[in-house]
Every structure is written in structure tokens, then in C-alpha cells.
């Protein structure tokens, strides 16, 4: 049972926080005064200056006539995109490799071990550059594109994916889908725990089906799917993932997956062997024992170390500057800094952005950890 901090401890924490804030304010004011004495301006008003440069890959509209603040938003979304893609891919790949590490087959177990040892003992920057130079830059041209399952195309210009084209009234379906997604955790939270067993099961099933229903409703707003096709010397249709994004995504995902695999392996082995024996004695097959008995218990232990790996992926996204991926460090701490000459303000913004993202992810993961953690009743 976790003890809550006492009133005196909470007051002390607030005093420490206020002290740290005062020290930070003093350092910032001192820096501003010293820069003013040297006739160096200090402030964040330069964010409204015209950028006068373009960003090759972006999720929202951007033109050279937009401001530095708009450029910050564009490269922030690029950072969040590659981080989210890396987290999802690294989790799935790490789970697969971690399970392979415990296989009774010598070849499968050795392949997983070799993958982990190779990736973990190689610098992540080397891996990112390897994927960009030795893999993406050696692919064939658009006219000889490699056709992947799902009507995807792979060539030297990146990965082309089919893109859904939404109808004119798709916004209505989007709002309905969003409402269903927001309602799912509320229905799950307020399901009758002490009531009839059947009622609790039905409400829980409804809460689990609401996200699926949201996807179905969102699908009604899709008019058709625009698949990429070769037209002349170029690819038309679909959505393009540039080679810089693909290389950074692969490097971050594979590197983090090696560490996540060891987390999965160790937490699975930490589950008492009696749990497996009890499940096998009930007639469950080994696969069902793993996914229905062992993994749910291992999940309670793997959340804290997985949080550290997720934060490492977010922070390592700044290595995209090595392959010219337009993330926040490459654009804002590179191009914007060189044009504006505001070194202190620029790095304060970059540090604040990464701090905000990591604290937000930590808060969500800590909340999830509290929800799934075991409570020891004394």
C-alpha cells in the first residue's frame, strides 16, 4: 500500500519548487542584463519575424512568408510524428524479440540474442546514418519501385502509402468518432464494480467496443482511398514518407526495440513459474498461457522501464538533424538560430519543448502505471 506524503512534506515540496523557480528567474534575469550591457537584445518577440525559408516535409501548411513561430509549430509536429511512430514500432518489435528470447527453439532464441547484442552495442547515430545511406539511398528509382503489400511503393524517394480521401461531410463523422473515443474511458471508469456480474461485464464490453465503433464511424467519412501509382517519371497519389523520416524512424525503432526486448524478457521471467504451471494444469496451450496469464502480469512490472525507453526515443529524435529530417532541433536550433542570432532564447525554447513533451508522456505513463500496478493489502 502506497503512503501519501504528509502535509508537512507537501509544504516542503512547494517551498523547494518555489526556490528552484526563483533561482531560474534570477539566472534568466542576470543573462538578460548581461546581454543588454553588450547591446544584445533579449526576448521572444523574434518568433513573429518572417522565416524566409521553406520546410520540405510538413504536416500543416507552411510558406517562406510565415513566421518563426509557425516554423516552430511545424517542426514540433514533425518531432511528435517520428516519436509516436518510433514508440509504437519499437514496442511491437521489442515485444516480438523479447518473446523470441524465451523460445525453446535454439535458432529463434539465438537470432533474437544476436539482434539484441548487435543493436545495443552500436551507436544509434551510426544506425540512423546506415539506414539513410546504405539502405534508403540504394533503393531503385520511382519507375522501378518495389511494390509492398497494401499497394505501398518503396523507392529512393521514400515510402508511398495509400491515403484516405474524406468526403465533404467527414467533419461530422470525425466529431462523432472523437466523442466515442472520449466516452470509452468514462464508461470503463464508472462500470458497476459491486453490482451484478453480468451488468459489469456488459458495461466493460461496451467500453472496449467504443473505440472500434469510433473507427467504423470515421470510416463512413472516407470517400475513397487514393493509392500511389506511377505516372511518367513520378509517383502520383497517396502520401509520401521521405527517406529522411524513414531512416530516422527505422533507426529509433530498432535501437529502442533491443532494449525493450530485454525488458519484456526479464519481466516475463519475473512472473512466478507457478502461474504457468497452474495455467497448464487447467489445459491451456502454451500460447494462451503466455498471452492470457503471463504477459498481463508482466505488464505491471514493465511499465516503469518502458517509460524510460519512450522518453529516450523522444529525446533521440533530435538526431534527425544528421539526415536532414526537419525536426525541432534541425530547423529551430539550426536554421532559425543562424538567421535570427538568438542563441539563448532559441535553446530555451527547444529545452522547454522537450521538457514539456517528456513530462507529459511521463505523467500519462505514471497514471497508467498506477492503474495497473499491484496493490499490497496489509
Amino acid at each position: 500500500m502506497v503512503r501519501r506524503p504528509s502535509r508537512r512534506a507537501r509544504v516542503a515540496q512547494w517551498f523547494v519548487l518555489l526556490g528552484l523557480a526563483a533561482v531560474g528567474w534570477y539566472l534568466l534575469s542576470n543573462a538578460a542584463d548581461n546581454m543588454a550591457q553588450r547591446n544584445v537584445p533579449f526576448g521572444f518577440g523574434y518568433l513573429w519575424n518572417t522565416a524566409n525559408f521553406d520546410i520540405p516535409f510538413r504536416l500543416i501548411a507552411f510558406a517562406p512568408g510565415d513566421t518563426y513561430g509557425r516554423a516552430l509549430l511545424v517542426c514540433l509536429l514533425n518531432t511528435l510524428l517520428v516519436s509516436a511512430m518510433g514508440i509504437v514500432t519499437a514496442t511491437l518489435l521489442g515485444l516480438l524479440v523479447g518473446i523470441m528470447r524465451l523460445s525453446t527453439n535454439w535458432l529463434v532464441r539465438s537470432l533474437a540474442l544476436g539482434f539484441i547484442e548487435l543493436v545495443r552495442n552500436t551507436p544509434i547515430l551510426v544506425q540512423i546514418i546506415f539506414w539513410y545511406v546504405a539502405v534508403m539511398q540504394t533503393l531503385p528509382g520511382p519507375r522501378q519501385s518495389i511494390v509492398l503489400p497494401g499497394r505501398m511503393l518503396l523507392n529512393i524517394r521514400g515510402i508511398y502509402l495509400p491515403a484516405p480521401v474524406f468526403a465533404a461531410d467527414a467533419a461530422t463523422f470525425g466529431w462523432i468518432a472523437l466523442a466515442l473515443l472520449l466516452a470509452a474511458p468514462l464508461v470503463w471508469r464508472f462500470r458497476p464494480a459491486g453490482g451484478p456480474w453480468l451488468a459489469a461485464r456488459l458495461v466493460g464490453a461496451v467500453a472496449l467496443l467504443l473505440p472500434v465503433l469510433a473507427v467504423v464511424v470515421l470510416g463512413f467519412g472516407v470517400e475513397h482511398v487514393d493509392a500511389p501509382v506511377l505516372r511518367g517519371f513520378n509517383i502520383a497519389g497517396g502520401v509520401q514518407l521521405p527517406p529522411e523520416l524513414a531512416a530516422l524512424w527505422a533507426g529509433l525503432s530498432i535501437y529502442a526495440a533491443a532494449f525493450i526486448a530485454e525488458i519484456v524478457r526479464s519481466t516475463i521471467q519475473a512472473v512466478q513459474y507457478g502461474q504457468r504451471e497452474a495455467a497448464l494444469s487447467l489445459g491451456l496451450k502454451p500460447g494462451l498461457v503466455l498471452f492470457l496469464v503471463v504477459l498481463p502480469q508482466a505488464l505491471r512490472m514493465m511499465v516503469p522501464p518502458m517509460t524510460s525507453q519512450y522518453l529516450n526515443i523522444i529525446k533521440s529524435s533530435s538526431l534527425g538533424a544528421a539526415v536532414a529530417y526537419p525536426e525541432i532541433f534541425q530547423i529551430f536550433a539550426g536554421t532559425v538560430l543562424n538567421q535570427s542570432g538568438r542563441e539563448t532564447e532559441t535553446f530555451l525554447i527547444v529545452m522547454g519543448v522537450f521538457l514539456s513533451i517528456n513530462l507529459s508522456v511521463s505523467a500519462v505513463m505514471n497514471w497508467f502505471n498506477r492503474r495497473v500496478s499491484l496493490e499490497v493489502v496489509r
Side-chain angles (χ1 to χ4, degrees):
M1 185 176 182
V2 180
R3 279 188 175 184
R4 294 184 177 180
S6 63
R7 189 173 184 179
R8 180 181 299 178
R10 287 197 296 268
V11 172
Q13 291 173 3
W14 278 108
F15 272 110
V16 172
L17 182 61
L18 291 175
L20 292 175
V23 171
W25 179 259
Y26 168 76
L27 294 176
L28 191 62
S29 301
N30 188 41
D33 293 339
N34 292 334
M35 293 173 68
Q37 293 177 5
R38 301 176 183 177
N39 295 323
V40 178
F42 179 83
F44 299 95
Y46 76 102
L47 292 176
W48 281 263
N49 295 342
T50 304
N52 292 322
F53 63 84
D54 194 15
I55 299 178
F57 175 77
R58 51 189 179 267
L59 299 178
I60 58 176
F62 182 81
D66 289 331
T67 62
Y68 289 142
R70 181 76 174 182
L72 174 62
L73 177 61
V74 171
C75 58
L76 170 61
L77 292 178
N78 289 345
T79 295
L80 293 177
L81 173 65
V82 71
S83 300
M85 293 169 59
I87 287 173
V88 173
T89 308
T91 302
L92 298 177
L93 182 59
L95 180 64
L96 174 63
V97 177
I99 294 175
M100 291 172 59
R101 280 278 283 117
L102 300 173
S103 174
T104 56
N105 187 294
W106 177 85
L107 180 59
V108 174
R109 186 172 65 251
S110 300
L111 287 175
L113 178 60
F115 168 81
I116 293 173
E117 294 299 327
L118 174 64
V119 173
R120 290 204 308 174
N121 292 286
T122 309
I124 183 174
L125 182 59
V126 174
Q127 297 185 34
I128 294 173
I129 296 178
F130 168 80
W131 281 99
Y132 182 69
V133 176
V135 178
M136 299 304 301
Q137 296 300 313
T138 58
L139 292 173
R143 302 189 67 178
Q144 293 81 31
S145 298
I146 301 173
V147 181
L148 301 176
R151 304 174 70 181
M152 297 184 295
L153 300 179
L154 177 64
N155 55 56
I156 195 171
R157 297 182 183 177
I159 306 174
Y160 291 82
L161 307 174
V165 177
F166 293 94
D169 57 346
T172 304
F173 295 101
W175 286 111
I176 296 175
L178 179 61
L180 292 174
L181 287 176
L182 295 177
L186 296 177
V187 174
W188 180 266
R189 182 177 181 85
F190 294 104
R191 70 189 188 279
W197 177 85
L198 181 59
R201 290 290 182 178
L202 288 176
V203 175
V206 170
L208 295 176
L209 287 176
L210 283 178
V212 179
L213 184 60
V215 175
V216 174
V217 170
L218 191 62
F220 285 124
V222 178
E223 191 174 36
H224 67 276
V225 177
D226 187 18
V229 293
L230 178 64
R231 291 180 182 173
F233 295 94
N234 202 357
I235 304 294
V239 60
Q240 178 191 10
L241 298 183
E244 296 82 11
L245 172 59
L248 181 60
W249 176 28
L252 294 177
S253 303
I254 294 176
Y255 186 79
F259 292 88
I260 292 177
E262 286 297 278
I263 294 173
V264 172
R265 177 197 59 79
S266 60
T267 52
I268 289 178
Q269 289 182 328
V271 177
Q272 295 182 357
Y273 192 74
Q275 299 289 328
R276 300 180 180 84
E277 292 180 332
L280 291 172
S281 66
L282 293 175
L284 292 179
K285 295 182 178 180
L288 295 177
V289 172
L290 175 63
F291 288 100
L292 298 181
V293 178
V294 178
L295 271 182
Q297 299 183 63
L299 176 65
R300 301 174 184 268
M301 295 178 282
M302 71 173 64
V303 173
M306 292 276 278
T307 302
S308 299
Q309 295 303 320
Y310 292 164
L311 300 183
N312 288 335
I313 291 176
I314 297 172
K315 291 182 289 187
S316 298
S317 65
S318 60
L319 295 174
V323 292
Y325 175 69
E327 42 78 38
I328 190 169
F329 190 83
Q330 200 266 343
I331 295 296
F332 205 75
T335 306
V336 173
L337 186 148
N338 292 330
Q339 287 191 1
S340 64
R342 302 293 187 91
E343 297 86 356
T344 304
E345 299 93 323
T346 299
F347 275 102
L348 283 176
I349 292 175
V350 172
M351 291 170 61
V353 167
F354 276 108
L355 180 63
S356 302
I357 296 173
N358 287 341
L359 289 180
S360 300
V361 173
S362 297
V364 173
M365 294 300 294
N366 288 336
W367 171 82
F368 181 69
N369 185 41
R370 289 193 298 269
R371 295 287 297 177
V372 302
S373 62
L374 290 172
E375 294 185 2
V376 180
V377 180
R378 297 181 178 178

